[in-house]
Amino acid sequence: AVISGNQATWNLGLAAFSTYESTLNLTLEVNEGVPIGTDLVNQVQIATASPEYTTTNNVYTHTLMVAPPRRNVYVSKSLSDGAPVPGQVITYYLSVRNSGNITANNVVITDVLPVGTAFVTSTYPASWSMVQAGNVVTWTHPGLTSGMYPSLYLAVRISDTVPVGTVITNTVRISTTDLESDCTDNKATYGLTTVALPADAQVRKFTSGRPVP
C-alpha cells in the first residue's frame, strides 16, 4: 500500500476473471484522547480503468464506535504431566490471558506451593521473568496485550513423607496494576489426591554356559 496522509492506496493490477477476489488488511491505532462513544467512519473505494456494468458496489462505509478501555487478566491451572505419587515430580500447566481490549500492565502471577511439595523447575515464554523464593514462585510481564495466550509450566516434587490419600491443593493468583473489569477470575485452585505407586513385579531369567548335547 502507498500511504499519503490519512489515505491508503493499493494497486491490484490486472483482475482477469469475474470471480477474482483479494483480501487486504489495514491496521489502525486509535489516537489517545478520542472521546469514548465517538463514531469512527471508514470508507473504502475501488476503481478500474475498464468499463463496469455497475458501480453501485464500488464504495463501502464501515462505522465503529470507540469503546471504553477494558482489561481482564485471567489464569487457570491443570495437571500437565506426572502422577501425584509421593516422591515423584508433577507438572502444572498455567493458562494465562487478557480478555480485555487493551494491554494490561505490570502483570504478576504468584503461586504459593502447598506443604509437602518443593519447586523443581519452570518453563515460560522468553518475554516473562520468574523468581523462586522458598515456596513462592512469581512470574512477571511488563504488558499483557489483548488476546495474548501465554503458557507457563511449573514442576514440583511431592515429598516422600506425604501420606497416600493426602489432598494437595495449589492456588495461583494473577494481578495487574491497571483497573480490571472483572477480578473474579484472578485466582485458580487445583487439587490432587496422592496415590500409591502402582506395583510392578518383574522377573528375569539368565543362562550360563552353552547348550551342549
Side-chain angles (χ1 to χ4, degrees):
V2 176
I3 308 297
S4 177
N6 66 341
Q7 180 174 296
T9 304
W10 294 266
N11 184 354
L12 303 182
L14 179 64
F17 304 99
S18 60
T19 56
Y20 178 87
E21 292 184 5
S22 180
T23 300
L24 306 172
N25 295 303
L26 180 63
T27 302
L28 304 176
E29 181 178 354
V30 179
N31 293 332
E32 291 187 19
V34 176
I36 295 171
T38 300
D39 285 335
L40 302 178
V41 181
N42 180 248
Q43 187 177 86
V44 61
Q45 180 175 350
I46 190 170
T48 174
S50 302
E52 292 188 77
Y53 71 88
T54 179
T55 58
T56 58
N57 55 359
N58 285 24
V59 178
Y60 183 81
T61 300
H62 187 69
T63 302
L64 284 174
M65 187 174 68
V66 177
R70 180 176 56 84
R71 302 171 179 87
N72 181 31
V73 292
Y74 161 91
V75 64
S76 66
K77 192 168 198 177
S78 60
L79 183 65
S80 172
D81 187 45
V85 176
Q88 302 298 308
V89 174
I90 59 173
T91 301
Y92 292 107
Y93 167 65
L94 281 66
S95 176
V96 183
R97 71 177 179 180
N98 173 15
S99 62
N101 58 13
I102 194 171
T103 298
N105 297 293
N106 305 313
V107 174
V108 178
I109 299 174
T110 304
D111 194 315
V112 179
L113 303 183
V115 175
T117 65
F119 175 81
V120 175
T121 188
S122 174
T123 57
Y124 45 90
S127 58
W128 288 75
S129 299
M130 189 275 292
V131 175
Q132 179 257 328
N135 68 332
V136 180
V137 184
T138 306
W139 299 266
T140 57
H141 194 280
L144 193 62
T145 59
S146 174
M148 194 174 180
Y149 291 88
S151 296
L152 295 82
Y153 294 88
L154 171 64
V156 301
R157 182 182 182 275
I158 302 174
S159 173
D160 297 321
T161 59
V162 174
V164 171
T166 301
V167 178
I168 297 177
T169 303
N170 182 238
T171 299
V172 61
R173 291 177 171 82
I174 189 171
S175 65
T176 171
T177 53
D178 295 315
L179 185 65
E180 288 192 75
S181 59
D182 180 13
C183 294
T184 61
D185 51 7
N186 286 24
K187 181 178 74 172
T189 300
Y190 189 80
L192 289 169
T193 302
T194 56
V195 296
L197 185 67
D200 184 19
Q202 298 184 15
V203 63
R204 293 185 180 183
K205 191 172 185 178
F206 299 92
T207 61
S208 62
R210 296 182 178 182
V212 178

